[in-house]
Amino acid sequence: CANVAFFLLGRAFARSYETSVRVALGANRRQLASELFCDSFVISLAGGAVGFLLAFWTSHIVPALLSDQDAEQLLSSSGFANTAVASCAGAAGMILCGLIPLFIERHNRPAGVLNRESAGPSMASVRIRACLVLLQAAVCSVLVISTAYLVSCLHAALETGSARLGNPILVTVQAQPSIGFRYFQHVQQAVQSMAGVSETAWAGSLPGAQPAWRTFRIEPRDLPLRDISLNTAWFTSDSLKLFHLPPKAGRLFGFEDQTCRVAIVNTAASAELFGSETPGRTIENPQGVPVKIVGVVETVNEQKPAIYYNTDQTGPAPSLARDQHFRAQVWSKLPAIELNVNVVSQSYFAAMGVSLIGGQEFTRPRASGECRIAVINREAARLYFGNQPVGAAVIDDRDTRTAIVGVIDTKPLAAFERREEPAIYFPMLQDAPPRMTLIVVAPNATGSLQADLLHKIESVPGRGPAPIIIKSLAAHLEQTALAPLRIATIVIGASASIALLLSILGLFGALNEAARQRRRELAIRIALGAQRWRIVYLFLREGSRLAFAGVLLGMLASLALLRLLARITAANSLPAVWVWLIAPAVLALAVVIASVLPARRALLVNPATILRDEN
């Protein structure tokens, strides 16, 4: 807008002779304003149309800066309508700025217009030009400082994140359903056999990715126990005729139940135990062994409360009798929580620099006496378990119970992550999804190593249809956790570059117009023997004064802006010194370019020619 005002302001002064003739012939102020409005309207409309097309095209670049999963979930508002409104607003602002020359001449007397050439630039034009240059320099300074600050924060985040771990390589693969976990084992063995690979680990979800939230119910530890009497029996093929199938809640026995003590109960027993929340809960048998309830069935004939054991389970067989005494927790409504779910290998925590602060890491479920185990991070332990989660359990929305055996201390990889989300980690041996990522730690992670990894993994049989994706952790963070900051940095960086270019053009236009208006004065100075370098210094001093004032104003505005940026960057201190120095340095270069060119152009004209034309 300021440049449009400069352009039309300079054009108005250049056409001063034509304007004076028109005023002398009877043109009134409304006619002059109509002509100026038409010029401003055409220029602004053309610029707004080009800006609309450019903005609409660049809006499709943002998904390319995100990961594939995040790009698929990207929600954008009506880009066409918003861009059109913004373009119209910009065009309207340029039209208003284009009418600034109307305020230079406050009268339409022909004598005043005809005397303008000899009187030189009016004070109103000088003030308006100075204000416009000051505004451009301030806005450019704000954008340059904020861009430098965000770039430094982005680099700091990467240094405190991926660099802390040595920037490992991430290899995402998919296994065929018929092979599953064995394929991941073969891939890991093939990668570990390569030279230069020091450590490997598997993860279903990587740091910085979108959280995979799931709802769980908490079964606290050390709840008071109560006695309950149940009939016991084996669940065999003949037992199916005793029940109405499918189960009323939960499920029947499965392959995964062979390594732990599980059972199902009838509806009468469920009513005495935990009601609708019975599936997933545990009770103690007469020998004090925990038994997990996986389902509730309805009997054909009304029977007493009964429990049915799985005949395929390993371990000592339970005693069967009528009215055996079991111990169950007192009935209470289990609180529901949400946790970020991840499936990882046991080596994941060492590879990511995660330390154990309580309990134990992954072991085989049979060794812990539980069917399923998991560890949670410190944040989940603090929020939902009172910092004492070991021994408690969570039950998911499919009534699957998982015991908490350990607590880990996860640290944010990026400086912009204020805190870790409450998370739960399941062992890969227990819950291996079809698609996982292998974290490859190598001291010398080069592009050739990534190519060798791709060739090695492609030779492993059992790969699914999805392509193999290989990238560094730094590249992953730039597309996930740091993607908003990266996009903001790119957008503000482009704005700063455009602002710098416009500032140079604005300074050039302002100083060029000043040189044109003062050409008579310059001609007299040169005719009286003024050295040409003094003429250049004259323009350089004028541009420097305006730029310096604009930089001071921009720095004050930058202080307020950086306070807002600190809320999203979690920075606790002001930017580095070089961030504050880059804006004056860049604008100093712009002032030199914008000052030397008009001065050199003015010096190329013969003073005698200028004086003759002025007379």
Side-chain angles (χ1 to χ4, degrees):
C1 292
N3 283 333
V4 171
F6 273 139
F7 172 77
L8 295 178
L9 192 61
R11 187 181 182 191
F13 280 114
R15 298 174 61 183
S16 59
Y17 182 78
E18 175 188 347
T19 303
S20 63
V21 173
R22 294 185 60 189
V23 172
L25 294 178
N28 55 31
R29 189 174 183 83
R30 185 179 62 180
Q31 292 173 330
L32 296 177
S34 176
E35 180 182 1
L36 190 62
F37 174 79
C38 291
D39 289 345
S40 177
F41 180 80
V42 172
I43 295 173
S44 303
L45 186 63
V50 174
F52 170 78
L53 295 177
L54 182 62
F56 189 74
W57 174 69
T58 54
S59 64
H60 298 282
I61 298 179
V62 174
L65 303 176
L66 302 173
S67 63
D68 295 338
Q69 294 81 0
D70 291 343
E72 293 175 355
Q73 300 179 6
L74 182 66
L75 298 178
S76 59
S77 57
S78 179
F80 184 88
N82 291 340
T83 306
V85 171
S87 299
C88 292
M94 286 188 289
I95 291 174
L96 293 177
C97 287
L99 298 178
I100 287 180
L102 286 177
F103 303 97
I104 301 299
E105 283 293 338
R106 299 180 178 276
H107 51 79
N108 57 359
R109 292 183 297 106
V113 179
L114 292 173
N115 289 333
R116 183 167 60 186
E117 286 292 313
S118 59
S122 63
M123 291 303 298
S125 65
V126 173
R127 293 192 187 97
I128 291 178
R129 182 172 65 245
C131 291
L132 293 177
V133 173
L134 190 68
L135 178 62
Q136 281 186 307
V139 172
C140 180
S141 178
V142 169
L143 288 175
V144 170
I145 291 176
S146 59
T147 302
Y149 173 66
L150 288 178
V151 169
S152 64
C153 290
L154 181 62
H155 290 168
L158 292 177
E159 290 177 359
T160 58
S162 59
R164 175 169 60 86
L165 303 176
N167 195 20
I169 300 175
L170 310 178
V171 183
T172 304
V173 295
Q174 182 179 3
Q176 293 180 2
S178 59
I179 299 179
F181 180 73
R182 289 179 298 165
Y183 172 74
F184 297 130
Q185 285 182 315
H186 296 159
V187 169
Q188 187 172 13
Q189 293 172 359
V191 172
Q192 287 177 341
S193 65
M194 297 178 59
V197 176
S198 60
E199 193 174 1
T200 57
W202 287 101
S205 178
L206 295 170
Q210 289 287 344
W213 296 108
R214 284 179 58 184
T215 303
F216 296 89
R217 290 175 290 146
I218 298 178
E219 183 184 75
R221 68 175 190 176
D222 299 332
L223 283 179
L225 300 179
R226 55 190 171 97
D227 294 329
I228 184 173
S229 297
L230 300 175
N231 294 337
T232 57
W234 291 107
F235 183 88
T236 63
S237 57
D238 295 334
S239 302
L240 295 177
K241 59 185 179 181
L242 301 177
F243 307 128
H244 292 291
L245 298 178
K248 296 289 291 184
R251 58 177 176 83
L252 297 180
F253 300 114
F255 176 78
E256 66 275 12
D257 298 326
Q258 296 180 7
T259 58
C260 56
R261 184 70 64 193
V262 296
I264 61 175
V265 296
N266 60 7
T267 52
S270 173
E272 292 192 17
L273 287 172
F274 307 103
S276 60
E277 294 188 352
T278 298
R281 304 296 295 271
T282 58
I283 59 176
E284 290 184 3
N285 63 13
Q287 293 76 35
V289 178
V291 179
K292 186 178 73 169
I293 309 300
V294 297
V296 178
V297 293
E298 183 181 4
T299 54
V300 175
N301 299 320
E302 186 65 25
Q303 295 182 358
K304 292 183 177 181
I307 183 172
Y308 301 87
Y309 291 109
N310 182 16
T311 57
D312 294 331
Q313 62 191 359
T314 59
S319 61
L320 304 182
R322 300 179 62 86
D323 295 330
Q324 282 196 353
H325 293 285
F326 291 80
R327 291 176 64 81
Q329 294 178 344
V330 295
W331 187 92
S332 60
K333 184 70 174 178
L334 299 183
I337 63 173
E338 285 191 347
L339 296 174
N340 180 20
V341 176
N342 200 357
V343 178
V344 299
S345 62
Q346 186 172 356
S347 58
Y348 171 82
F349 304 116
M352 300 302 292
V354 176
S355 59
L356 181 70
I357 59 176
Q360 62 182 18
E361 292 185 357
F362 295 143
T363 57
R364 291 185 177 274
R366 188 183 305 172
S368 66
E370 294 284 353
C371 296
R372 294 173 52 84
I373 61 172
V375 300
I376 61 176
N377 62 358
R378 183 197 296 268
E379 186 67 16
R382 182 185 66 84
L383 289 177
Y384 306 123
F385 296 91
N387 289 323
Q388 294 182 345
V390 178
V394 293
I395 304 173
D396 63 16
D397 51 3
R398 293 175 295 182
D399 298 323
T400 302
R401 182 181 184 275
T402 303
I404 307 299
V405 297
V407 183
I408 57 174
D409 184 17
T410 54
K411 298 179 180 179
L413 282 180
F416 302 95
E417 297 178 3
R418 295 187 179 275
R419 61 177 178 83
E420 280 287 301
E421 299 289 352
I424 184 170
Y425 296 84
F426 296 106
M428 178 183 176
L429 184 63
Q430 174 181 286
D431 296 305
R435 186 175 179 85
M436 295 197 69
T437 299
L438 181 64
I439 304 171
V440 182
V441 180
N444 298 318
T446 60
S448 60
L449 179 59
Q450 295 187 12
D452 295 340
L453 283 172
L454 179 61
H455 178 73
K456 191 76 173 180
I457 295 174
E458 285 180 341
S459 62
V460 178
R463 180 166 60 91
I468 300 173
I469 300 176
I470 299 179
K471 57 185 175 182
S472 65
L473 180 59
H476 166 75
L477 290 177
E478 286 186 354
Q479 293 180 334
T480 53
L482 301 179
L485 178 67
R486 182 167 171 250
I487 293 173
T489 303
I490 292 175
V491 171
I492 298 181
S495 300
S497 301
I498 295 173
L500 178 60
L501 177 61
L502 293 179
S503 295
I504 295 175
L505 293 177
L507 286 170
F508 177 78
L511 296 176
N512 185 66
E513 178 59 26
R516 194 198 67 80
Q517 293 179 1
R518 300 174 61 180
R519 57 185 178 180
R520 182 180 180 87
E521 174 192 347
L522 297 178
I524 294 175
R525 285 175 177 266
I526 295 174
L528 293 177
Q531 296 178 340
R532 293 180 178 268
W533 68 268
R534 294 185 179 275
I535 303 299
V536 176
Y537 173 75
L538 182 66
F539 283 92
L540 188 61
R541 184 182 62 182
E542 180 179 352
S544 301
R545 185 175 66 252
L546 295 176
F548 180 73
V551 168
L552 290 181
L553 181 61
M555 286 186 173
L556 294 177
S558 298
L559 284 175
L561 177 61
L562 293 181
R563 291 182 180 273
L564 297 177
L565 292 178
R567 297 179 181 178
I568 65 172
T569 59
N572 296 323
S573 60
L574 291 176
V577 177
W578 70 269
V579 175
W580 296 102
L581 295 180
I582 190 171
V586 170
L587 283 178
L589 179 61
V591 168
V592 172
I593 296 174
S595 301
V596 172
L597 292 181
R600 185 174 180 274
R601 180 181 177 185
L603 293 176
L604 292 177
V605 182
N606 191 340
T609 303
I610 297 178
L611 294 174
R612 184 179 64 250
D613 293 341
E614 291 293 330
N615 294 328

